[in-house]
Amino acid sequence: MPIEVAMRDGVSLETFVYLPKGEGPFPTLVTRTIYGLPITPLGGELFDSRQTLAHLATAEDEDKGDDDDDLDPAEALARGWPLITENGYALVIQNTRGRMGSGGVDRSWLDDRNDGYDLVEWVADQPWSNGRIGIFGDSGLGMTAALAAAAQPPSLDAVFLQAAPADPFGTDMAPAGGGLKAETLLLQGASLAFDVSPAHFEARGIAPDEVPGFVDAIGRYFSALSQGIGDPLSSDVWMAAPLGQSPELERLMPFWSLLTDADVLASYRTELDVRDDITVPTSIVSLWQDSFVRSSIALHEDLVERGVPTELLIVNGSHYEIDDPRIYPEPRMLSWFDHWLKDRPMPDRETVELAVQGTGGEFLRVDGMSDLIASALMVQLTADGGLELSGDGTTAEVAFTSDPTDPVPTLGGRNLLAAAGSLDHSSLLGRPDVAVFQTAPTAADTMIAGAVVAQLTIRTDAPSLDVSARLLDIAPDGTANLILSHLARMADTSAGEVQVSVDLGQIVHQVDRGHRIALLLAGSDFPAWDRNPQTGGDLFTSSEMQPATFAIVTGGGAPSILTIPLLNSN
C-alpha cells in the first residue's frame, strides 16, 4: 500500500516502500517516476523496443510467446524490484508531483529538485534506513534522479543515470541556436497528460465533469501523432503550422507553453541543467543513438573536471534498446551502489567504456574521454561533391532549394519516438533538396573517435535557415548508414552570407576499408526537428512558410570544412 510523504510545501506525494528480508536498517535506493507502476529499473521493457510508436498504436493484441523482448508486467516486475531487495537494499518509489495518486500540480520537472531532496532526507530519517542512500533512474526517471542529486541533499551518497538527460533543454531537445526536437516534445508531452492526478486537474481549473472530454480530446490528438509519425509528411497533425495545435494540452499541461513561448523555454534551459550541480559519485549509461547522449557525455566530462567520481558506459543502439537484455544484460547499477553504499570493491572495469559503432560489439576502454587521442582530419567540401584534404582554392557553390512544406524526412538518428538509430540513408542521396559530399574509398579500416564538426559558409535568400548535417558511412553496395546527425539554426541571416557551425557531437565509429565517409546537408530533418518557416517570422508561432535557396560555398577565402577526429593509429 502506498504511503503519503509530505514535501516542504505540505503537498503529499504517493510513495511505495519495499524492504528486503532480514533485520534492518538497510541501505536504500530511491527512484521517482513520472510514469507510475510498474517500473523496470534493471531492464525489461513492456514492449518490443524495435517497434515504433506508430506500430504500437495500431497493433492488435497478440500472444507474444516467450520472446524476452516482450515482457508482460508480471515478468517485468520480477526482473525489477527483487533484483534490488534481494541484494539487501530497501527500495523507495515515489510518483512525482501531480501524477498518479500524488497531490499538487505537475509542472514537468520544475519541482523535482526540491521534491527529490525532500524524499532523500525523509528516507534518511526512517528507522529501516541506515542513512546510506542512492538515487537512480532510466529515461524520465533518470531526469528526476539527476534533478534530486543537483539539489545536493546531504544524505545522498551516489547516483546512477541510464539513458537520461542532464541538460534536456539546453543540449538535447531544444539547444540554444538550434531547433526543437519535435518528435520528442510533441509525443512525449502529449503522453504525459494521461497520468496526471485528480489534484492536477483541480489545480488547473478543470472541473470533474470536464475531465472525460479532456482525456478524449487529448487521446485523439495523441493517436493522430503516434499513427502519423511513421509518415509525417502525409499527416495533417504533423504538418500543421505552428507546432502544438492542442488547446486541451495547452490548458492542462504548463509544459506545453515552452513550444510557443521563448521565455518559458529559456527558463526550462536554466532550471533543468544539472551539469554543474551534482557533487556525489555518478555512474552514467547511454547509447550512441540515444536522444540524450550529448548531455550524458557533457555531464561526465563536467564531473571529471570537478573531481567527482564518475564512470561512463556508452553502448550501441537507440533509446529504448538499453533495456533489451541482448544489448545490456549486466546489472551494472547494483555493483556501483554496492561500492558506494556497502563499501565493496569497485568492479574491474575502465572508467570509460565506449562501444565502437559499425562493428559487431567491439569496445574502446580508457581511463577518460581525454585518452581518446585523435588527430583532427580537416577536409574541404568541393564543388564536385568531394571531401578532400585541400580544395582548388577557387570559390564555387553547391546550391539546392529547401522547402519546409516538403521537408527532408528523418530516417534515423538520436531520436526518442521517430525512426532512430544508425539507419540507411541511401534513399536521400539523389534528392534535389540536399547536397552530398564524400571522400574517396578508405584505404584501411578507419576509426572516428571524438567530436565531428561541420563549419559551413552558406549564401541564402532566406531571412532564417536551418542546416541539417548527417555524417554517413557509404558501403560499396550503396548502403549509406548514418553515423551522426544534428541541426543548427540561424535565426537571422540578413547578411546574405553566413557562417554556420554544426556540432554533430561525439562518436566512436569504424568505417570499414573501401567505404566512403559522406556529409549530407539539407534545410530540414523532419519530424526529428521542427521546421524552420524560412520567412523570418516567429519560429514558435509562424503559420506561413516559404522555399529558400541554399548555396554551400566551397573553396576561396571562406571554404566549408568538415572536421573528423581519427584515432592516431589511423
Side-chain angles (χ1 to χ4, degrees), residues 31 51 92 99 121 156 171 177 181 208 246 261 292 323 374 438 449 491 496:
T31 192
Q51 290 179 310
V92 176
R99 303 195 64 75
E121 294 308 306
L156 184 65
T171 300
K181 279 305 292 288
S246 173
D261 190 318
F292 311 119
D323 289 319
Q438 55 188 307

mmCIF file of all heavy atoms in Angstrom, residues 31 51 92 99 121 156 171 177 181 208 246 261 292 323 374 438 449 491 496:
data_model
loop_
_atom_site.group_PDB
_atom_site.id
_atom_site.type_symbol
_atom_site.label_atom_id
_atom_site.label_comp_id
_atom_site.label_asym_id
_atom_site.label_seq_id
_atom_site.Cartn_x
_atom_site.Cartn_y
_atom_site.Cartn_z
ATOM 1 N N THR A 31 13.904 5.939 -6.363
ATOM 2 C CA THR A 31 13.592 6.401 -7.711
ATOM 3 C C THR A 31 12.272 7.142 -7.676
ATOM 4 O O THR A 31 11.381 6.819 -6.880
ATOM 5 C CB THR A 31 13.558 5.247 -8.721
ATOM 6 O OG1 THR A 31 13.531 5.769 -10.055
ATOM 7 C CG2 THR A 31 12.358 4.338 -8.521
ATOM 8 N N GLN A 51 10.044 -1.760 -32.217
ATOM 9 C CA GLN A 51 8.860 -1.201 -32.839
ATOM 10 C C GLN A 51 8.846 0.318 -32.673
ATOM 11 O O GLN A 51 9.402 0.855 -31.729
ATOM 12 C CB GLN A 51 7.598 -1.778 -32.192
ATOM 13 C CG GLN A 51 7.362 -3.260 -32.513
ATOM 14 C CD GLN A 51 6.118 -3.754 -31.819
ATOM 15 O OE1 GLN A 51 5.947 -3.551 -30.636
ATOM 16 N NE2 GLN A 51 5.238 -4.394 -32.571
ATOM 17 N N VAL A 92 12.620 2.582 -2.504
ATOM 18 C CA VAL A 92 11.566 3.582 -2.352
ATOM 19 C C VAL A 92 11.226 4.138 -3.722
ATOM 20 O O VAL A 92 12.101 4.622 -4.451
ATOM 21 C CB VAL A 92 12.010 4.726 -1.413
ATOM 22 C CG1 VAL A 92 10.931 5.807 -1.346
ATOM 23 C CG2 VAL A 92 12.293 4.181 -0.021
ATOM 24 N N ARG A 99 1.001 13.590 -10.371
ATOM 25 C CA ARG A 99 0.888 12.417 -11.228
ATOM 26 C C ARG A 99 0.397 11.219 -10.424
ATOM 27 O O ARG A 99 0.702 11.083 -9.240
ATOM 28 C CB ARG A 99 2.210 12.095 -11.912
ATOM 29 C CG ARG A 99 2.746 13.280 -12.729
ATOM 30 C CD ARG A 99 3.835 12.878 -13.691
ATOM 31 N NE ARG A 99 3.360 11.956 -14.722
ATOM 32 C CZ ARG A 99 2.616 12.316 -15.765
ATOM 33 N NH1 ARG A 99 2.248 13.578 -15.929
ATOM 34 N NH2 ARG A 99 2.231 11.409 -16.645
ATOM 35 N N GLU A 121 15.883 13.066 2.139
ATOM 36 C CA GLU A 121 16.041 13.363 3.563
ATOM 37 C C GLU A 121 14.968 12.678 4.411
ATOM 38 O O GLU A 121 15.224 12.302 5.559
ATOM 39 C CB GLU A 121 16.031 14.873 3.779
ATOM 40 C CG GLU A 121 17.232 15.579 3.151
ATOM 41 C CD GLU A 121 18.546 14.943 3.576
ATOM 42 O OE1 GLU A 121 18.792 14.818 4.801
ATOM 43 O OE2 GLU A 121 19.332 14.550 2.682
ATOM 44 N N LEU A 156 22.457 12.035 0.457
ATOM 45 C CA LEU A 156 22.624 11.283 -0.784
ATOM 46 C C LEU A 156 24.091 10.917 -0.981
ATOM 47 O O LEU A 156 24.977 11.766 -0.872
ATOM 48 C CB LEU A 156 22.133 12.098 -1.975
ATOM 49 C CG LEU A 156 22.155 11.386 -3.333
ATOM 50 C CD1 LEU A 156 21.173 10.217 -3.343
ATOM 51 C CD2 LEU A 156 21.829 12.354 -4.473
ATOM 52 N N THR A 171 20.793 21.189 -24.354
ATOM 53 C CA THR A 171 21.670 20.359 -25.169
ATOM 54 C C THR A 171 20.906 19.401 -26.051
ATOM 55 O O THR A 171 21.242 19.218 -27.219
ATOM 56 C CB THR A 171 22.631 19.549 -24.263
ATOM 57 O OG1 THR A 171 23.426 20.449 -23.500
ATOM 58 C CG2 THR A 171 23.543 18.658 -25.093
ATOM 59 N N GLY A 177 20.312 28.152 -30.179
ATOM 60 C CA GLY A 177 20.865 28.195 -31.519
ATOM 61 C C GLY A 177 20.443 27.023 -32.385
ATOM 62 O O GLY A 177 20.877 26.909 -33.528
ATOM 63 N N LYS A 181 13.257 19.528 -30.788
ATOM 64 C CA LYS A 181 13.106 18.112 -31.122
ATOM 65 C C LYS A 181 11.611 17.793 -31.129
ATOM 66 O O LYS A 181 11.033 17.331 -30.159
ATOM 67 C CB LYS A 181 13.843 17.238 -30.109
ATOM 68 C CG LYS A 181 15.336 17.100 -30.320
ATOM 69 C CD LYS A 181 15.749 16.599 -31.696
ATOM 70 C CE LYS A 181 15.374 15.170 -32.006
ATOM 71 N NZ LYS A 181 16.117 14.146 -31.303
ATOM 72 N N PRO A 208 -14.410 18.238 -12.540
ATOM 73 C CA PRO A 208 -14.534 16.793 -12.770
ATOM 74 C C PRO A 208 -15.376 16.428 -13.984
ATOM 75 O O PRO A 208 -15.062 15.471 -14.703
ATOM 76 C CB PRO A 208 -15.173 16.292 -11.462
ATOM 77 C CG PRO A 208 -14.709 17.270 -10.429
ATOM 78 C CD PRO A 208 -14.686 18.601 -11.134
ATOM 79 N N SER A 246 -3.065 21.854 -29.851
ATOM 80 C CA SER A 246 -3.972 21.113 -28.981
ATOM 81 C C SER A 246 -4.362 22.022 -27.827
ATOM 82 O O SER A 246 -3.627 22.147 -26.841
ATOM 83 C CB SER A 246 -3.311 19.839 -28.434
ATOM 84 O OG SER A 246 -4.156 19.218 -27.471
ATOM 85 N N ASP A 261 6.447 29.741 -26.359
ATOM 86 C CA ASP A 261 6.918 30.898 -25.605
ATOM 87 C C ASP A 261 8.420 30.772 -25.386
ATOM 88 O O ASP A 261 8.879 29.917 -24.616
ATOM 89 C CB ASP A 261 6.179 30.974 -24.264
ATOM 90 C CG ASP A 261 6.440 32.277 -23.526
ATOM 91 O OD1 ASP A 261 7.597 32.731 -23.514
ATOM 92 O OD2 ASP A 261 5.494 32.828 -22.939
ATOM 93 N N PHE A 292 19.573 11.484 -25.621
ATOM 94 C CA PHE A 292 20.175 12.296 -24.575
ATOM 95 C C PHE A 292 21.674 12.046 -24.396
ATOM 96 O O PHE A 292 22.250 12.449 -23.385
ATOM 97 C CB PHE A 292 19.445 12.043 -23.254
ATOM 98 C CG PHE A 292 17.951 12.140 -23.368
ATOM 99 C CD1 PHE A 292 17.142 11.056 -23.081
ATOM 100 C CD2 PHE A 292 17.342 13.307 -23.797
ATOM 101 C CE1 PHE A 292 15.761 11.137 -23.191
ATOM 102 C CE2 PHE A 292 15.959 13.405 -23.918
ATOM 103 C CZ PHE A 292 15.169 12.317 -23.610
ATOM 104 N N ASP A 323 17.174 -1.368 -22.596
ATOM 105 C CA ASP A 323 16.529 -2.373 -21.761
ATOM 106 C C ASP A 323 16.387 -3.721 -22.463
ATOM 107 O O ASP A 323 15.758 -4.628 -21.932
ATOM 108 C CB ASP A 323 15.156 -1.883 -21.313
ATOM 109 C CG ASP A 323 15.252 -0.759 -20.294
ATOM 110 O OD1 ASP A 323 16.124 -0.859 -19.418
ATOM 111 O OD2 ASP A 323 14.491 0.214 -20.395
ATOM 112 N N ALA A 374 43.149 11.537 -30.651
ATOM 113 C CA ALA A 374 42.745 11.549 -32.048
ATOM 114 C C ALA A 374 43.349 12.755 -32.741
ATOM 115 O O ALA A 374 43.634 13.775 -32.117
ATOM 116 C CB ALA A 374 41.217 11.585 -32.156
ATOM 117 N N GLN A 438 31.464 13.570 -50.413
ATOM 118 C CA GLN A 438 32.005 12.312 -49.919
ATOM 119 C C GLN A 438 33.479 12.152 -50.256
ATOM 120 O O GLN A 438 33.988 12.740 -51.218
ATOM 121 C CB GLN A 438 31.207 11.133 -50.457
ATOM 122 C CG GLN A 438 31.067 11.062 -51.959
ATOM 123 C CD GLN A 438 30.096 9.966 -52.379
ATOM 124 O OE1 GLN A 438 30.227 8.817 -51.976
ATOM 125 N NE2 GLN A 438 29.110 10.330 -53.185
ATOM 126 N N ALA A 449 36.784 8.891 -33.754
ATOM 127 C CA ALA A 449 36.652 8.885 -32.296
ATOM 128 C C ALA A 449 36.726 10.308 -31.772
ATOM 129 O O ALA A 449 37.804 10.887 -31.686
ATOM 130 C CB ALA A 449 37.738 8.021 -31.658
ATOM 131 N N ALA A 491 18.808 32.234 -36.759
ATOM 132 C CA ALA A 491 17.567 32.994 -36.688
ATOM 133 C C ALA A 491 17.612 34.266 -37.518
ATOM 134 O O ALA A 491 16.570 34.821 -37.862
ATOM 135 C CB ALA A 491 17.251 33.338 -35.235
ATOM 136 N N GLY A 496 23.121 37.738 -45.796
ATOM 137 C CA GLY A 496 23.133 37.021 -47.074
ATOM 138 C C GLY A 496 24.127 35.883 -47.109
ATOM 139 O O GLY A 496 23.847 34.825 -47.664
#
